Amino acid sequence: MPVIPSKPLPSFLFGFKITSGDLASSDWMTFKSVTGLTSDTEVTDFEEGGVRKFTRKLIGVRKWGPLVLENGFTGDMKLFQWMFSPTRVNGVIVQLAVRPEGGDFKEVCRWEFTNGVPTVWEGPGLDANKNEIAVEKLTIVHEGLKFINGEPPPPPPPTPEPPPPPPAPISANVQFASNSSTVPSPNAGLDAAAEELKKDPDRKVKVEGHTDSEGSEASNQALSERRANATRDYLINKGAKPEQVTATGYGESQPIADNATAAGRAQNRRCIVEDA
């Protein structure tokens, strides 16, 4: 809502200000009258042939006349600077009316212009007693005018901040010696997993222990559970909370390589750590 200077004003008046560039201002220059808030569109007649001789109206280029603002004043020196160092700017003109209940002014409608340049300034000039600029006439040529009915809509809500990217998945693979549940140390993969768990107390992982096929199924089941629990203990000792880590043994039931070869059995003697 424009702030109107405290001096006698008519029931209707116009507010004007620049809205772009270094000359943009929050202060309004007020005028008693504005003309030129119209446009003309070129129309060309085109006669079609035939018996009916139909004439079509071809819509051409829209033209804008100059804006002429009269009997105004302002305390903003940027407008005075604009007059004597003309640059292309965007601006707005609002029509204001006295509210029925009195008090401040209500916006009736507004016009927004683009690439405006001042061409005429007439007036008594500076008022030293009131520290204001008085203007008899201000003429602005421009490249387009947009009419907006009623008070302007509220500004759009600020764009919400994008959500933070999801954390990288936790994944670690621990290899074991034959018939052993000792976690090799140091272990970079488990150390990194423990750090991620310390950053987010709500995050959880699962540890899955496995064996090769050497020995009985019962002994391999027990060995896989020891491996899973040893891996879990490693994470807890590195700072993870006990409730963040679960451990399960699967024995020899889930091989990832051929147990008929030494290399395959080495791959199967493992623990997998991943997000729960």
Side-chain angles (χ1 to χ4, degrees), residues 3 13 30 37 48 61 94 98 110 167 192 270:
V3 177
L13 75 159
T30 54
L37 298 171
E48 294 185 345
V61 178
V94 297
V98 177
R110 66 169 48 200
R270 72 197 189 280

Side-chain angles (χ1 to χ4, degrees), residues 114-166:
T114 55
N115 292 331
V117 179
T119 58
V120 176
W121 174 300
E122 298 178 7
L126 298 175
D127 186 337
N129 294 325
K130 298 181 181 179
N131 193 29
E132 293 177 341
I133 304 171
V135 180
E136 299 263 347
K137 179 187 292 187
L138 172 61
T139 302
I140 303 168
V141 296
H142 58 93
E143 296 180 356
L145 193 66
K146 179 181 179 182
F147 172 73
I148 300 174
N149 188 25
E151 295 195 6
T159 303
E161 293 292 331

Side-chain angles (χ1 to χ4, degrees), residues 39-42 60-64 145:
S39 67
D40 294 322
T41 302
E42 291 183 348
V61 178
R62 176 175 290 185
K63 295 182 178 181
W64 309 95
L145 193 66

Side-chain angles (χ1 to χ4, degrees), residues 18-162:
I18 297 171
T19 58
S20 67
D22 295 337
L23 296 175
S25 175
S26 59
D27 295 329
W28 291 82
M29 190 171 194
T30 54
F31 290 87
K32 290 184 179 180
S33 68
V34 176
T35 58
L37 298 171
T38 59
S39 67
D40 294 322
T41 302
E42 291 183 348
V43 179
T44 304
D45 289 345
F46 176 77
E47 293 187 2
E48 294 185 345
V51 178
R52 299 181 62 187
K53 297 290 186 180
F54 183 76
T55 301
R56 292 186 179 274
K57 300 291 186 180
L58 302 182
I59 305 300
V61 178
R62 176 175 290 185
K63 295 182 178 181
W64 309 95
L67 299 171
V68 181
L69 300 87
E70 297 182 293
N71 299 322
F73 61 90
T74 182
D76 188 358
M77 294 302 295
K78 288 184 178 180
L79 292 169
F80 189 76
Q81 176 185 348
W82 182 48
M83 275 301 310
F84 291 95
S85 299
T87 56
R88 293 183 180 274
V89 300
N90 299 335
V92 61
I93 297 171
V94 297
Q95 184 180 16
L96 303 166
V98 177
R99 295 183 184 272
E101 64 274 15
D104 60 354
F105 283 76
K106 176 182 178 181
E107 180 174 323
V108 177
C109 53
R110 66 169 48 200
W111 296 262
E112 296 176 351
F113 66 84
T114 55
N115 292 331
V117 179
T119 58
V120 176
W121 174 300
E122 298 178 7
L126 298 175
D127 186 337
N129 294 325
K130 298 181 181 179
N131 193 29
E132 293 177 341
I133 304 171
V135 180
E136 299 263 347
K137 179 187 292 187
L138 172 61
T139 302
I140 303 168
V141 296
H142 58 93
E143 296 180 356
L145 193 66
K146 179 181 179 182
F147 172 73
I148 300 174
N149 188 25
E151 295 195 6
T159 303
E161 293 292 331

